[in-house]
Amino acid sequence: MADKEATVYIIDLGLSMGEKRYGRDETDLDWAMRYVWDKITTTVATGRKTALVGVIGLRTDETDNELGEEEAFEHISVLQPISQILMPNLRDLQGKIRVSETDSGDAISAIVIAIQMITAYCKKLKYKRKIVLVTNGRGSMDADDIGEITKKMKKDGIELVVLGVDFDDPEYHVEEEDKDPVKAGNESTLKALTEDCDGVFGTLKQAVSELGIPRIKPVRPVPSYKGQLTLGDLEAFETALAIDVERYPRTMIAKPPSATQFVERTDEAANEGDSMQSSHTLAPDSGTLADGKTAGILTAIKSSRIYQVDDENIIGGKREVAREELAKGYEYGRTAVHISESDENVTKLETQASMGIVGFVQKDMYERYMNMSVSCVIIAQKANPKASIALSSLVRALFELESYAVARLVTKNDKPPIMLLLAPSVDVDYECLIDVQLPFAEDIRNYKFPPLDKVVTVSGKTLKEHRNLPTDQLVKAMSDYVDQMDLSTFGEDDEGNPTEYMQTDETYSPLLHRINQAIRWRAVHPLDPVPPAYEILTKYAHPPQDLLNLARKNLKDLTAAADVKKVPPKQKSRKRTREKPLSGLNVEELLGRQKRTRISADNAIPEFKQMLATTEDLGAIQDAAKQMSHIIISQIKHSLADSGYGRATEGLRVMREELTALEEPAIYNDFIKELKGKIMAGDLGGDRREMWWEIRRNQLGYITSKMSGLSSITDEQAKQFLLAK
């Protein structure tokens, strides 16, 4: 279970926080709120009732706190009491965060109020207590009682974090020139206070710049197996080995938050008092954002499922049945084999929870592609020294013999068994077994591909030199290029020594953290565009430019050795010539075919293709398309009911394909537009709208620009054209 937390943010809202300084395009308050909103929205996203937040406004126009009657605590307001903060609270807080008309208010007094809030709420309970002060340090400050404040914070275990706008920080190379003496004194006071409390004192620039570094969510370890790891039959042999162990995930895919479907709630739904409203309402009840703009109120969608069976005696032919009336069946060929619930246990394999070693394998005999799952760690049972010594002996033995163990695991009773590979892991701090799932025979996919280092001819002869095989020069050039692009030593550590460039603990999931970034931003700025992804998320999307520059010569050598040539772009030409066979023979002349000039209605499609195949003249192509158009119109006009629609549809399909191949889409598009007009107007012997339905069903509308580069018809235009209007 996650620890309980209580954090109070003290935000400086003084008049001086509304100024823009040192070339920034935002005020000090807006800049500071980038950090505060990020922290608060991250807490909101967890949805934990034990993650509590309070907000205090410093140097406000009003005074709203329990000690407000005393002069030292004036112009300090509690904007949000300590509680779980939800979206309605977040929206309400947005309206309260604004620059005031005064610079009066003591930051030290605000810290005292924050201590009082935490003490009153948390009492003596176990909480992680934290106060975060964000200020520009330009107000008055009374440091007389700092000693007592320090004692109280240490006694209650409260962590103090002070972030200052343009505060000096030599380690981060921030130093404000011509600093105001009042601000310099306040910085010294706050720095001394945080150091005495063992807190954190820093400049806001560093805090804002580090917002892009993703925060890894701590995960509570949940065992997937607790029991004995056995070697041998415990019932049959006294020498069999049994070790009490626990199994935990070592690697697990971190999935991004999934979207849930919502609908804008109507007034009727709001009056019904939907029980899901409290947990799924994403906007305040007023539907008004902090900037006065209106946002719709969303409510969750409830799903229901209906089961129907065919029944000819019911109107509509479908009869609803309850889920309890359904029976389970297994496909067997084209039939279903029914197995009742009483006999369903015959399909289950009765197993008992256990983990037993079935054999061992040499390390160099195991193929890496056999890994089928995420990895888990097996450790000895906690607070069991005997199990720790026994497991350590097994791990050491496997490590020294360079071997792996193969085990059978059943995590729970009646669960299907899986096979595991157990690999020893020996570290300075601990020893354990790392396991991955192994495949069964049915899980392996064996495919045969031609070898990469040789060519085998049809006669069985092996060729070592072939146009499809790399030369020695190409192999060397590729090897040199790969060596030059090596990332294992391209990075630098804190001392400037070569190290791995792309370390695992610094490589974050772009998808997961980009979605989280967008959600946090949109929660605070519902109508503003989401900013681009943080640089750290896109850092490894491309090779480092310095490395590319170093490898440029090797890349040129590789390009020359591989004889790489640039493929010219495809020209949008009016190509009407057919592909010639490799032999160069004229098939038309060999077959003695004559160029056709007329197309008969009885054999329209073959003669249309033949006419197009024997000409390259645009006029002849247009004439062939015109003749085919007349034939199609005639087939529709003289069709008895829908008897001729099939031939007309096939003629349209062929005409569309041929004119697309000849890159003459305009001829077909003009004809299909004319044909639709005649069908809808009833000019083809009556109501022929069923023919248009056939055209729609077979997708014989416009030739779009995606099908032919010479077409000006977009997909949306083609979609609208097919509608029967």
Side-chain angles (χ1 to χ4, degrees):
M1 182 177 180
D3 295 330
K4 292 186 287 186
E5 303 173 4
T7 304
V8 176
Y9 293 92
I10 304 174
I11 305 172
D12 191 344
L13 303 177
L15 182 62
S16 61
M17 289 290 287
E19 299 180 14
K20 299 179 181 179
R21 309 175 195 276
Y22 304 108
R24 291 191 291 267
D25 57 357
E26 55 188 343
T27 64
D28 289 353
L29 179 60
D30 292 337
W31 194 37
M33 289 309 297
R34 287 169 59 182
Y35 171 83
V36 176
W37 286 134
D38 183 85
K39 294 299 182 181
I40 293 179
T41 52
T42 300
T43 304
V44 174
T46 63
R48 288 168 43 206
K49 294 183 179 180
T50 56
L52 310 175
V53 173
V55 180
I56 295 176
L58 170 62
R59 295 198 290 171
T60 58
D61 293 324
E62 304 83 11
T63 299
D64 183 10
N65 64 81
E66 293 184 358
L67 304 177
E69 297 180 357
E70 301 181 27
E71 182 180 356
F73 297 95
E74 291 180 350
H75 299 288
I76 300 173
S77 300
V78 178
L79 306 180
Q80 169 70 36
I82 295 179
S83 64
Q84 181 190 10
I85 187 168
L86 302 174
M87 283 299 297
N89 308 111
L90 193 64
R91 297 276 190 246
D92 183 60
L93 189 60
Q94 277 186 281
K96 299 177 181 178
I97 302 296
R98 61 182 183 274
V99 177
S100 68
E101 300 296 331
T102 181
D103 275 329
S104 300
D106 186 0
I108 301 298
S109 299
I111 294 176
V112 173
I113 295 175
I115 294 173
Q116 182 193 37
M117 290 174 60
I118 292 177
T119 303
Y121 189 92
C122 301
K123 298 181 177 62
K124 298 295 183 179
L125 301 177
K126 186 178 180 181
Y127 273 88
K128 284 186 176 180
R129 308 162 193 230
K130 187 175 183 180
I131 297 175
V132 180
L133 170 62
V134 182
T135 179
N136 62 3
R138 295 180 180 274
S140 59
M141 193 178 298
D142 184 3
D144 292 342
D145 298 327
I146 281 185
E148 296 298 324
I149 294 173
T150 301
K151 293 179 182 179
K152 178 64 175 175
M153 296 186 72
K154 285 186 173 182
K155 178 182 177 182
D156 292 350
I158 300 176
E159 179 187 2
L160 176 63
V161 177
V162 176
L163 297 175
V165 179
D166 300 319
F167 277 16
D168 294 343
D169 189 343
E171 296 182 1
Y172 203 70
H173 308 291
V174 176
E175 185 174 355
E176 186 179 11
E177 298 180 357
D178 300 327
K179 189 184 293 291
D180 182 85
V182 175
K183 181 177 180 181
N186 291 339
E187 280 190 41
S188 301
T189 301
L190 293 173
K191 186 174 183 180
L193 176 60
T194 53
E195 290 177 351
D196 293 341
C197 297
D198 298 326
V200 178
F201 180 88
T203 181
L204 186 65
K205 182 179 181 181
Q206 180 181 2
V208 172
S209 65
E210 292 179 353
L211 291 179
I213 301 177
R215 293 172 289 277
I216 304 300
K217 178 182 177 182
V219 180
R220 182 168 58 93
V222 178
S224 57
Y225 172 78
K226 279 188 175 183
Q228 290 185 330
L229 171 62
T230 62
L231 177 59
D233 190 348
L234 298 177
E235 297 180 357
F237 304 100
E238 295 181 356
T239 56
L241 175 67
I243 307 173
D244 293 320
V245 297
E246 298 177 1
R247 181 174 183 256
Y248 296 90
R250 183 66 176 269
T251 59
M252 186 72 69
I253 298 176
K255 297 181 180 179
S258 58
T260 304
Q261 291 184 335
F262 293 90
V263 67
E264 188 168 350
R265 193 179 64 193
T266 61
D267 292 339
E268 291 79 3
N271 294 331
E272 290 176 1
D274 190 351
S275 61
M276 299 295 289
Q277 176 181 343
S278 61
S279 58
H280 292 285
T281 297
L282 300 187
D285 293 337
S286 62
T288 304
L289 302 179
D291 55 4
K293 298 181 180 179
T294 301
I297 301 176
L298 303 182
T299 187
I301 296 175
K302 295 181 179 179
S303 303
S304 62
R305 180 173 296 181
I306 298 175
Y307 298 92
Q308 294 180 330
V309 296
D310 295 332
D311 191 342
E312 297 179 355
N313 300 324
I314 302 296
I315 298 176
K318 298 287 184 181
R319 176 169 56 87
E320 294 185 9
V321 295
R323 189 177 186 279
E324 293 74 17
E325 299 179 26
L326 303 179
K328 290 185 178 180
Y330 293 84
E331 288 189 7
Y332 186 71
R334 292 194 173 185
T335 61
V337 177
H338 168 61
I339 297 180
S340 62
E341 293 186 4
S342 59
D343 295 334
E344 193 174 359
N345 60 342
V346 301
T347 63
K348 296 182 179 179
L349 182 65
E350 296 183 1
T351 57
Q352 299 292 325
S354 62
M355 180 189 294
I357 296 176
V358 297
F360 300 91
V361 62
Q362 286 294 318
K363 181 178 179 180
D364 56 357
M365 297 296 293
Y366 178 73
E367 300 291 348
R368 292 287 297 275
Y369 65 81
M370 303 285 279
N371 295 359
M372 277 192 62
S373 67
V374 299
S375 58
C376 293
V377 58
I378 298 175
I379 62 174
Q381 186 183 57
K382 296 176 182 178
N384 189 339
K386 182 179 179 181
S388 299
I389 295 174
L391 184 64
S392 176
S393 301
L394 177 61
V395 171
R396 287 284 179 176
L398 292 173
F399 180 78
E400 294 175 2
L401 296 175
E402 297 185 348
S403 300
Y404 297 146
V406 178
R408 177 182 182 272
L409 171 66
V410 178
T411 55
K412 294 181 180 179
N413 293 342
D414 295 330
K415 288 286 185 179
I418 59 175
M419 302 302 294
L420 299 178
L421 182 82
L422 310 182
S425 176
V426 179
D427 203 345
V428 177
D429 299 329
Y430 66 94
E431 300 168 345
C432 64
L433 292 172
I434 305 294
D435 76 69
V436 292
Q437 185 176 345
L438 294 175
F440 291 105
E442 297 81 4
D443 301 324
I444 298 176
R445 302 289 185 265
N446 290 318
Y447 302 105
K448 290 185 178 181
F449 298 100
L452 299 177
D453 60 342
K454 60 184 177 181
V455 173
V456 181
T457 63
V458 178
S459 61
K461 184 179 179 181
T462 301
L463 302 178
K464 291 293 185 180
E465 295 183 1
H466 190 269
R467 60 185 178 88
N468 293 336
L469 296 178
T471 62
D472 294 340
Q473 181 185 2
L474 178 58
V475 172
K476 184 179 184 303
M478 177 60 76
S479 178
D480 294 342
Y481 179 68
V482 171
D483 292 341
Q484 190 64 54
M485 290 292 291
D486 185 14
L487 296 175
S488 61
T489 57
F490 186 72
E492 288 186 359
D493 57 17
D494 296 337
E495 299 177 357
N497 300 320
T499 186
E500 185 180 358
Y501 172 73
M502 189 176 175
Q503 299 185 17
T504 303
D505 56 354
E506 297 179 358
T507 308
Y508 304 98
S509 169
L511 175 63
L512 186 150
H513 295 292
R514 173 56 176 169
I515 292 178
N516 286 333
Q517 176 195 3
I519 294 173
R520 292 196 303 269
W521 177 269
R522 188 49 56 87
V524 181
H525 309 89
L527 303 178
D528 295 342
V530 179
Y534 293 123
E535 181 182 357
I536 195 169
L537 300 181
T538 59
K539 178 180 179 181
Y540 302 117
H542 305 283
Q545 189 60 44
D546 293 342
L547 189 61
L548 293 176
N549 295 336
L550 292 174
R552 184 173 286 116
K553 180 181 180 303
N554 301 88
L555 181 59
K556 289 182 179 180
D557 296 342
L558 177 61
T559 303
D563 193 21
V564 177
K565 297 178 180 178
K566 184 178 180 180
V567 178
K570 183 180 179 181
Q571 300 293 330
K572 293 183 178 180
S573 61
R574 293 178 175 268
K575 175 184 174 184
R576 301 186 188 91
T577 57
R578 303 286 176 162
E579 294 289 341
K580 292 184 178 181
L582 295 177
S583 62
L585 299 176
N586 191 325
V587 180
E588 300 296 332
E589 292 182 0
L590 292 176
L591 296 178
R593 294 180 180 177
Q594 300 295 325
K595 288 189 176 181
R596 182 173 295 277
T597 58
R598 303 299 302 171
I599 300 175
S600 65
D602 296 334
N603 195 30
I605 292 178
E607 292 180 3
F608 175 68
K609 289 184 175 181
Q610 184 180 355
M611 187 172 180
L612 294 179
T614 56
T615 184
E616 299 179 5
D617 181 61
L618 177 59
I621 294 175
Q622 292 174 338
D623 180 52
K626 185 177 181 181
Q627 294 184 50
M628 192 67 180
S629 302
H630 289 319
I631 292 173
I632 292 173
I633 291 176
S634 178
Q635 290 172 342
I636 299 173
K637 186 174 183 179
H638 297 94
S639 173
L640 181 61
D642 60 351
S643 60
Y645 292 172
R647 296 179 61 192
T649 302
E650 184 63 19
L652 279 172
R653 184 188 64 78
V654 173
M655 183 178 179
R656 190 172 187 263
E657 291 177 354
E658 292 294 321
L659 292 178
T660 301
L662 292 173
E663 297 186 357
E664 292 293 345
I667 298 176
Y668 178 81
N669 290 343
D670 292 342
F671 167 63
I672 197 67
K673 182 178 180 181
E674 177 189 356
L675 179 61
K676 180 182 179 180
K678 291 183 177 182
I679 291 176
M680 296 305 170
D683 297 339
L684 299 181
D687 187 359
R688 300 292 183 180
R689 282 178 294 181
E690 189 175 346
M691 176 63 197
W692 187 250
W693 183 86
E694 290 288 338
I695 294 174
R696 289 180 59 190
R697 187 171 66 87
N698 290 277
Q699 296 292 313
L700 297 177
Y702 282 142
I703 299 174
T704 64
S705 56
K706 286 186 177 181
M707 303 175 187
S708 173
L710 298 177
S711 174
S712 60
I713 303 297
T714 64
D715 290 345
E716 184 61 28
Q717 290 175 326
K719 183 179 179 181
Q720 293 296 326
F721 175 73
L722 284 176
L723 299 177
K725 295 180 180 179

